[in-house]
Amino acid sequence: MTTFDAAAGKPAGRGIAVPAWLRVTGKVLLQLFLVYLVLLIIEASLGRWTPEYLTGRSLWHFWFSRMLAPMVMLGVFAAFARLLPAGAMMAASLLFVGTLSSIKRSSTGEPFQVSDLFLAGQSVHLLSYVHWYHWVLGAAIIPAAVWYAWNLRFRWWSLPLALLCVGLLSTYRFEPVSKWIHDNAYWIGIENLTFSQAESERMNGLGTHLYFSMAGLRLKTYTQAEVKQALEALNAPPPKPVAAAGPVPDVYIILGEAWWRDPNDPQSPLDQLKQAGFTESMAVSPVYGGTTPNAEFEVLTGIPVKTFQDGIIPYQHYVQYITDGARSLPHLMAEKGYAATAFHNFTRRFWLRDQIYPKLGFGHFVSMDEMNLTIQPNDWPTDEGLYKSVLDRAGGDKPQFNFIVTVQTHGPYEADPSDAEGHEGVHDYRTRLDGAAHALAGFKRELDAKGRPYVLVLFGDHLPGLRLHQWKNGMKSESDPRLHQIPLLIASNGHETQSLAADMHGRPLYCLSPLVLDWIGQPVPDRYLNFVDSKCREAEDPVLRPAEAVIQNQLFAQDPQ
């Protein structure tokens, strides 16, 4: 004790007292920094932010801009528990969702979206992509949830804080916010990469990617007058004349799962189909490596998927909005006297088809439960049983419209010793494509034997997810148009096929329905589809983006105009 301290009356051995509020603030800031550091490490790990990836990039975008969304998410948990258990819960949640996203990317090439919560029932079909370390990472949420629940506490500010954070996480739903982020992306360092959600997730981090995916639905209800004005603005030509009286053909449109003519395969399995009487053309899919329903949606509705915000899957986002009056191909065919049936050699719920198909106008939906199928080692059925099911139900007084969705060539594709390095999975894919093409050729022979007039069109929904193989063969850019070029195979016992092959060559899949209807001499009195028909004949890429009022009329109206 110094003389000065004694004179001042201070007790021996005591320093300056630290105010309680300062000690609490320091403790909270230290805990917040620790939680932030853990979340940053998890975001970097999930985003694969390697030193090579970070080279040449502004690092503050990673440690600041791309951490804002995760920290706001932390606020939701911290509103009801102390910071450390809230941080543990947030960290475990990121690991859990990041694990789901990794599994989904392996399956479809697309990352997890908030809207995937509506498809939880499909998760069992992704089990073949789950490895032991996925289970370990996902299981971390259990002890974190127990700790968080043990430390729950409610304050007067808990609910307002949680609501504020949820509100902030929902702001990307508003056009001014999304536009501001897009316009200022060059300096704030975050941007929704509409051309690739997988790359967007990696660049922005999982938390910011989930923020973008919360955009959800932004539907406006238009008046009848606004819809009429939008339809009249299309300047659609009148429908072409119906074919002369005579038997109308049965129509078979087949979705070939991941069918692709590999330009580096001199003896493609598809060559056998030319020998079987098919004419081959090329069309353009809106998706790569997965998200089959978006390709399917374009064919059945004639509406470009790119009209919607990136990441939207109409089958899941709009299932509650699509009405029984939708101006879709099955409905239009039914109006012409066709019996419309959908066939799929997998579960009815896959991509919510059990809900979507009836709304689109299919009178019946036959799934794997009603088929005798051969299951491959990867748990995906072959296509022979699918075609047999179609043939068993063929016939009747009405002409048939059958939409057939195959899965024999569904990924993943197993590596084989015969695969060259960097081309793993090619042998497996090629073997399964050969089997699927053989089954299709057999299906055509059976149709020929039945003698009923028919037309058959198969389209590939997307390229197989053999990205490294394609990259090594020159398709290095994600914007390479070859990554969206899919085969179109056409056959008929009464209609020449070259004209449709020429009309569809290089066209988007949304051109298929109106062009097929014209080809068989059964055009429909639908202003929008007649407009699509004319535009698809004018250019290979019509770049159609119909107005929202038009889409409302085609999909969401009870009594479309």
Side-chain angles (χ1 to χ4, degrees), residues 123-176:
S123 58
V124 67
H125 307 308
L126 301 179
L127 289 178
S128 60
Y129 296 87
V130 182
H131 301 287
W132 65 268
Y133 52 85
H134 290 136
W135 293 108
V136 173
L137 290 174
I141 200 169
I142 297 175
V146 171
W147 190 24
Y148 181 75
W150 187 261
N151 286 272
L152 281 176
R153 48 94 171 113
F154 296 91
R155 301 290 187 268
W156 65 266
W157 43 264
S158 294
L159 187 57
L161 175 60
L163 292 176
L164 174 63
C165 292
V166 170
L168 290 173
L169 293 171
S170 303
T171 53
Y172 196 69
R173 295 173 58 89
F174 301 101
E175 196 68 34

Side-chain angles (χ1 to χ4, degrees), residues 90-146:
M90 180 63 202
S93 298
L94 278 180
L95 283 174
F96 183 78
V97 176
T99 300
L100 294 178
S101 190
S102 174
I103 295 169
K104 187 184 174 189
R105 277 200 315 273
S106 299
S107 168
T108 68
E110 294 293 318
F112 182 88
Q113 307 267 358
V114 171
S115 56
D116 288 333
L117 295 172
F118 296 106
L119 294 176
Q122 290 189 32
S123 58
V124 67
H125 307 308
L126 301 179
L127 289 178
S128 60
Y129 296 87
V130 182
H131 301 287
W132 65 268
Y133 52 85
H134 290 136
W135 293 108
V136 173
L137 290 174
I141 200 169
I142 297 175
V146 171

